[in-house]
Amino acid sequence: MKTVFVNLYFVTEQDGSWTLVDTGVYGSASKIKAAAEELFGQNIPPRSILLTHGHFDHIGAVKELANEWEVPVYAHPLELPYLTGQSSYPPPDASVGGGGMAYMAFLYPKKPINITKHIELLPQDGSVPGLRDWKWLHTPGHTAGHVSFFRESDKVLLAGDAFITRHGESMMAVMTQKKHVYGPPKYYTTNWAEAQQSVEKLAYLNPAVAATGHGMPMRGPKLQWQLEELVRDFWTIAVPEHGRYVQEPAITDEMGVVSVPPAVSNPANKMLLAAGLVTLAGAAFLTMRNRNGKKKAEKIYTSERPFSHNRPLTDVPLTIDQEDPLAHTNNYP
């Protein structure tokens, strides 16, 4: 399902159960619930919600849906700071990409949400709860805790934003949905070396179908040769010539942002910037129109929360209580 400019996915099992992967932009909850009822019937919630990462366009409806369905939300440990209110993401870089989606990136929400009572860590063995034949893979670069999901039996890949299948910075591409393999969205990718390694990892799987966070699903030889081309020429195809994170990545850890490179000047053309603002306003109008106009109160949980997001991890030794709070900051431009 496409919500304005980003995709989410419904994944079913043979027993009729289902799982939701990502939750679209803000204001999408009613649309997602309607689609779920049409697909699976009324009052049949998913087993869980899986997040490829926590950028605003992938978690827009997660809080409302998790509250209503009372299901866990699974993510990588390195995404937890942005899903539990601890840290904002590194700021997007509106100076890269040369398109309307990039030029208005400075307007995109980057502050964390807090779904602590629902969040769960993906199992360390690579299995996916509720999806027996699937594995998750750590594919950082776009974000530190970005993950993708792969089903070996038919080589179906849910790549998130590790790579995408339309021009990530172009507003026109949002409307036309012309299919082509591209690297991750430039304006929101903060570690290009890791992004390149992640694309290599996914290409090595030789996927038969790739369903990504942006763009239409692709399959077959066209997907494979374009993915191979992206791997071969990643530093000229995917990476911008100049930008905030090109020479130096953002530094993050399990507590959130440690440091970011200095901001660069934005050479955005004023006309394109204005077009971006108009498009954003139109998207906001469409999403607001889908709301039912009634603000639903969050459910009150009278019993102890059944999830175990705070269980200790062998590969993440530090906790918020042990870390020096002065070592992390959100006071960056």
Side-chain angles (χ1 to χ4, degrees):
M1 172 184 285
K2 179 185 175 187
T3 63
V4 186
F5 62 90
V6 64
N7 302 325
L8 55 93
Y9 295 93
F10 304 88
V11 185
T12 60
E13 285 282 89
Q14 291 184 354
D15 63 3
S17 64
W18 66 283
T19 297
L20 182 65
V21 180
D22 289 337
T23 65
V25 297
Y26 295 101
S28 300
S30 59
K31 181 179 179 181
I32 295 169
K33 287 185 290 186
E37 288 185 1
E38 183 177 347
L39 289 168
F40 311 112
Q42 290 187 343
N43 302 318
I44 302 179
R47 285 189 172 183
S48 66
I49 298 171
L50 306 176
L51 295 179
T52 59
H53 60 300
H55 278 161
F56 78 99
D57 52 338
H58 293 257
I59 52 86
V62 68
K63 192 169 188 177
E64 182 176 346
L65 294 176
N67 279 335
E68 180 157 339
W69 288 332
E70 298 187 38
V71 295
V73 179
Y74 287 93
H76 190 275
L78 292 176
E79 290 297 291
L80 287 190
Y82 320 108
L83 301 171
T84 57
Q86 294 181 32
S87 176
S88 297
Y89 272 110
D93 184 1
S95 71
V96 300
M101 293 298 294
Y103 288 141
M104 65 181 188
F106 72 97
L107 293 171
Y108 298 156
K110 65 176 185 292
K111 291 191 177 298
I113 63 170
N114 191 340
I115 52 170
T116 302
K117 63 187 178 184
H118 296 292
I119 199 70
E120 276 275 13
L121 300 177
L122 286 163
Q124 296 182 53
D125 62 2
S127 62
V128 180
L131 297 178
R132 182 179 56 185
D133 296 332
W134 291 78
K135 295 289 184 182
W136 68 267
L137 302 95
H138 187 203
T139 49
H142 187 61
T143 69
H146 188 286
V147 297
S148 304
F149 301 95
F150 185 65
R151 186 167 59 194
E152 176 65 37
S153 60
D154 53 3
K155 293 189 175 297
V156 172
L157 173 66
L158 302 182
D161 286 358
F163 68 87
I164 57 177
T165 56
R166 67 160 172 79
H167 194 298
E169 294 70 50
S170 167
M171 286 184 191
M172 185 62 67
V174 174
M175 294 180 281
T176 63
Q177 293 288 87
K178 183 179 180 180
K179 292 189 286 188
H180 192 92
V181 173
Y182 290 89
K186 293 181 174 67
Y187 51 85
Y188 238 148
T189 298
T190 57
N191 190 318
W192 285 103
E194 288 188 342
Q196 188 263 343
Q197 294 168 6
S198 294
V199 169
E200 281 190 351
K201 180 187 296 186
L202 296 180
Y204 181 78
L205 299 173
N206 196 28
V209 178
T212 61
H214 304 274
M216 298 293 289
M218 292 181 65
R219 68 181 67 229
K222 185 176 181 180
L223 163 66
Q224 292 162 354
W225 71 256
Q226 288 187 6
L227 195 51
E228 291 172 0
E229 180 184 43
L230 179 62
V231 170
R232 184 179 64 249
D233 300 323
F234 186 86
W235 291 96
T236 55
I237 293 177
V239 181
E241 292 184 5
H242 307 284
R244 185 170 195 169
Y245 304 105
V246 173
Q247 300 298 326
E248 182 182 355
I251 305 300
T252 64
D253 62 15
E254 69 279 1
M255 304 308 303
V257 174
V258 176
S259 66
V260 295
V264 297
S265 61
N266 184 2
N269 180 278
K270 291 182 179 180
M271 292 181 62
L272 285 175
L273 178 58
L277 294 173
V278 170
T279 300
L280 183 65
F285 172 77
L286 291 174
T287 55
M288 289 297 293
R289 192 176 64 176
N290 288 332
R291 295 179 183 235
N292 58 18
K294 296 180 180 179
K295 186 177 181 181
K296 295 184 178 180
E298 290 187 6
K299 294 184 178 181
I300 304 299
Y301 288 79
T302 56
S303 60
E304 195 170 308
R305 198 180 72 84
F307 311 127
S308 57
H309 70 282
N310 58 349
R311 66 184 184 270
L313 287 178
T314 57
D315 58 342
V316 183
L318 296 178
T319 68
I320 185 74
D321 296 324
Q322 297 169 316
E323 184 62 65
D324 177 6
L326 298 179
H328 296 77
T329 179
N330 289 325
N331 296 323
Y332 47 75

